[in-house]
Amino acid sequence: MNRCSLALSRAIARVTDSALGPYQTAVIRIGFSLTWLLFLLREFPHRQELYGPDGPWSWELADQLVATNDAFTPLLWSDSQVWFEAVYALAVLWSLLLLLGWRTRTMSVLFMVGVLALQNRSVFMGDGGDNVLHLMSIYLVFTRCGRVWSLDARRARRAAGARARGEWPRDRTGPVLWGVLGLLLLLATLAGRMDGDWFIPALLWTVWLAQALWWLVGRRAETGQPRILLDVVANVVHNGALLVIMAEACLIYATAGWYKVQGSRWQDGTAVYYPLHLEYFSPWPALADLLSASGTMVMLVTYGTVAVQVAFPFTLFNRRVKNVLLAFMITEHAVIAVVLGLPFFSLAMIAADAVFLPTAFLRRLGNLAARARGRPRPRGTSVPRPRPPADRPADHPADHPVGKDPAEAAPAPGGVPGPRT
């Protein structure tokens, strides 16, 4: 019984003390924002036909559909050409800022708004990867995806260094951004633009109020306990969202694999052969002919795909087998991107797969990228701790708040809280 209690307490402490998988969530942030950014840039010359007034799915048809399914899309707030261009340009900007990790908590929300605005405007556009991007853009809002490999992480290190020197840097950009977005959200609500499904408006208001609470606690709290409590809540939400992302990826592969098992073309081993000879999926006909020339190769790829997709969720309990299958799936998606001409579908799936990549591999990848830029890997700056009382040793546990990095300790009254990423 004591062992069970000890294991349970350790599990609870692990979930509440820190945001798990910081490198994995950073890769997810970078992967999905890059996928959406590249898609918007590639389709920029065709944006009018895809999501604008020149598309076959007209503004009136989209408005009728949204009236029945209550989907959230700011593009239907107006049929003005100027409004469409502004929303499209903002979606590009928000994707870029989330990719760079600037104000990731706010940019993740705006990134979600940009994805929903365009995808819900023309629901028949996309190749399957758009569904993954649609879901993951919502899940990203709940994660602390800017802890590493972001401008927010660099800003946090600089703020920690300033506090170590006895300075208290002020964050003026955050409150201004919060105020402007709050005003726009209030105007949209009062104008009745949020009268559809309740989830997205409730999520927007919840995040906005949470940001206000985070700032007020950092500025006004006399002790560090309220900030620690908010950190625990943020960690629990982050870890829960990370679990949902992993479950979603497993569900995608398991569902696809079991449906393939039931398909006759996958049973007779020809499901890969036929798409290679479709003009729509053959940007490189010579390469497709080369791959389909060997019947044995086609059969192995067909059955191998089904076996890997069905088995992958069960391999999560064995790290080595999981990593082998993960490498196989990422390679397969890269081949699909080139051979079948589905780059954005493949990028979205690779980004979803990245949640299972080992932390050691991602850290080595980050170190290689840092060395390629010609500068050493950034390290956190420690903050001097308060001098302990004379009757207490310097290394007493009371001097180390549970689950807190010294660089993220609560500021003194009147100071500026660290960025919430």
Side-chain angles (χ1 to χ4, degrees):
M1 187 64 180
N2 291 335
R3 291 182 179 180
C4 294
S5 301
L6 183 60
L8 181 61
S9 63
R10 287 178 178 175
I12 294 175
R14 182 171 174 79
V15 171
T16 58
D17 286 353
S18 61
L20 302 178
Y23 292 94
Q24 285 79 1
T25 49
V27 171
I28 293 174
R29 184 199 83 232
I30 295 171
F32 284 110
S33 58
L34 179 62
T35 301
W36 186 238
L37 176 63
L38 293 178
F39 175 80
L40 294 179
L41 292 179
R42 193 196 73 168
E43 300 299 345
F44 185 80
H46 314 290
R47 64 191 184 283
Q48 300 289 348
E49 292 79 10
L50 291 176
Y51 304 108
D54 297 338
W57 190 250
S58 65
W59 190 92
E60 290 77 14
L61 289 174
D63 187 55
Q64 293 177 22
L65 179 62
V66 169
T68 59
N69 62 11
D70 291 329
F72 176 82
T73 169
L75 268 183
L76 294 182
W77 293 356
S78 172
D79 58 355
S80 168
Q81 177 67 25
V82 176
W83 177 248
F84 166 74
E85 297 291 353
V87 171
Y88 197 96
L90 287 174
V92 172
L93 177 62
W94 295 334
S95 302
L96 177 61
L97 293 178
L98 182 63
L99 173 65
L100 298 176
W102 185 80
R103 307 285 172 174
T104 51
R105 179 66 66 180
T106 301
M107 288 305 119
S108 63
V109 176
L110 296 179
F111 174 75
M112 177 195 68
V113 171
V115 171
L116 298 183
L118 294 173
Q119 288 191 353
N120 289 338
R121 164 62 177 85
S122 298
V123 294
F124 298 107
M125 301 299 171
D127 51 19
D130 56 318
N131 293 327
V132 179
L133 185 63
H134 189 109
L135 293 173
M136 295 301 178
S137 67
I138 299 176
Y139 299 153
L140 272 177
V141 175
F142 299 93
T143 64
R144 309 182 78 173
C145 55
R147 310 282 283 187
V148 297
W149 298 345
S150 66
L151 295 178
D152 282 350
R154 186 181 68 172
R155 180 162 51 90
R157 290 193 299 269
R158 291 180 175 178
R163 288 194 292 269
R165 297 189 299 269
E167 304 173 1
W168 296 103
R170 288 186 174 275
D171 179 18
R172 296 181 175 85
T173 304
V176 171
L177 186 63
W178 175 84
V180 171
L181 294 178
L183 177 61
L184 295 177
L185 184 59
L186 178 62
L187 293 177
T189 303
L190 295 178
R193 303 302 185 182
M194 302 287 188
D195 292 343
D197 184 52
W198 63 270
F199 175 74
I200 297 300
L203 178 59
L204 296 177
W205 278 112
T206 300
V207 174
W208 186 78
L209 293 174
Q211 289 291 85
L213 179 62
W214 189 274
W215 185 84
L216 286 174
V217 166
R219 293 278 295 186
R220 304 299 181 187
E222 297 182 356
T223 65
Q225 298 302 320
R227 182 62 179 270
I228 294 176
L229 176 61
L230 291 182
D231 250 340
V232 168
V233 174
N235 290 336
V236 171
V237 172
H238 165 92
N239 295 330
L242 185 61
L243 178 62
V244 171
I245 291 174
M246 298 172 68
E248 184 71 35
C250 290
L251 183 62
I252 290 173
Y253 283 117
T255 304
W258 286 110
Y259 270 108
K260 285 181 174 65
V261 170
Q262 303 174 47
S264 60
R265 296 305 177 191
W266 290 93
Q267 293 175 7
D268 59 28
T270 59
V272 174
Y273 178 83
Y274 289 110
L276 292 175
H277 291 79
L278 295 177
E279 182 179 359
Y280 182 77
F281 293 110
S282 299
W284 313 99
L287 182 58
D289 293 340
L290 178 64
L291 293 177
S292 61
S294 173
T296 303
M297 177 62 68
V298 172
M299 184 190 67
L300 290 176
V301 172
T302 304
Y303 282 99
T305 299
V306 176
V308 169
Q309 290 183 347
V310 172
F312 179 74
F314 301 100
T315 64
L316 298 181
F317 302 100
N318 189 302
R319 182 176 302 178
R320 293 183 178 179
V321 178
K322 181 262 296 183
N323 291 339
V324 172
L325 293 188
L326 189 60
F328 179 85
M329 290 191 300
I330 292 177
T331 303
E332 182 182 33
H333 287 305
V335 173
I336 290 174
V338 176
V339 178
L340 298 182
L342 298 172
F344 301 110
F345 165 78
S346 298
L347 281 175
M349 292 308 302
I350 290 174
D353 294 340
V355 72
F356 300 105
L357 289 175
T359 301
F361 170 78
L362 293 176
R363 296 186 68 173
R364 285 196 297 268
L365 192 64
N367 294 339
L368 290 175
R371 285 198 293 267
R373 292 196 303 268
R375 60 181 183 178
R377 181 174 61 89
R379 298 181 181 273
T381 304
S382 60
V383 178
R385 301 185 183 93
R387 183 185 301 275
D391 58 345
R392 193 173 72 200
D395 255 348
H396 194 274
D399 297 327
H400 305 271
V402 176
K404 292 292 292 179
D405 189 290
E408 298 176 355
V416 179
R420 183 186 182 190
T421 56

